[in-house]
Amino acid sequence: AAMNLAVARRIHNILKKDKRFEIYITRDGSNPLGYTEEFSDYFSVNKDEILSFKENAKKETQAKIESGAFTEKEIVDHNAVTANTAVILYGINKWANENKMDAVIHIHFNDYPRQSKWTIGKYSGFVIYMPDEQMANWKDSGQLAANIYVQLDKKYSTSTYEKEFGGLIPDQKLIALGSNGTLFPNVRSILIEYGYIYEKKFRNYTTRHKAYDDMAKLTATGVKNYFFTK
């Protein structure tokens, strides 16, 4: 969580200086509970509406699956989220729709199960998840993902995990990407895994913070290139 916030704040601060953007961040470190007052209040006040939003979306998707209008796929296995996390993620989607966001970028670092958290894992590298082509927001989200990918690929290697080969992975299960049709077509959404948390560059304070700076700059450049092509 601390690594996610470190990179997110850097991206936020870079883009905030560009007057062409209106930027929001869900966590900024100022609230002990993690989320900014705006988002914390939104999740709390609108919890029942968010739950209804989630359940209605799931029912609609299930109906599409049963009718053959939507084909279920699962390329990469993902951890099941807690009930509270589901409220937050669906809440972010609902908020993004209501506030006519052009893009939502989820910041993550990767990991995978192993016997001891203190051992170094065998996988490394970044990957960007984008909506599956059956999802309403897939095309523009994919183009945003590609612009950021081009920048990150200049300095970092893509994931060596066999299911993430190539570094640009379509997915229909991640709530962050608008699973169950919970994001409008014009809300681009991507999820970036910047690397595996045990990688060498993240184990030392100096190299870790240098990586945060570089990753944020490259991501922000990708965003600017997408929205404001020369």
Side-chain angles (χ1 to χ4, degrees), residues 18 20-21 143-144 147 221-230:
D18 189 326
R20 298 174 295 182
F21 291 98
Q143 291 171 346
L144 173 61
N147 273 272
T221 298
V223 172
K224 291 181 181 183
N225 287 351
Y226 171 75
F227 283 106
F228 304 105
T229 305
K230 292 181 181 179

Side-chain angles (χ1 to χ4, degrees), residues 6 47 59 69 83 116 125 147 154 182 208 230:
K47 184 175 181 179
K59 287 177 183 176
S116 170
N147 273 272
K154 291 178 179 179
T182 51
R208 180 167 66 247
K230 292 181 181 179

Side-chain angles (χ1 to χ4, degrees), residues 42-57:
Y42 183 85
F43 301 144
S44 176
V45 172
N46 298 283
K47 184 175 181 179
D48 290 342
E49 289 184 23
I50 293 169
L51 289 172
S52 178
F53 172 71
K54 178 187 77 169
E55 293 307 318
N56 289 339

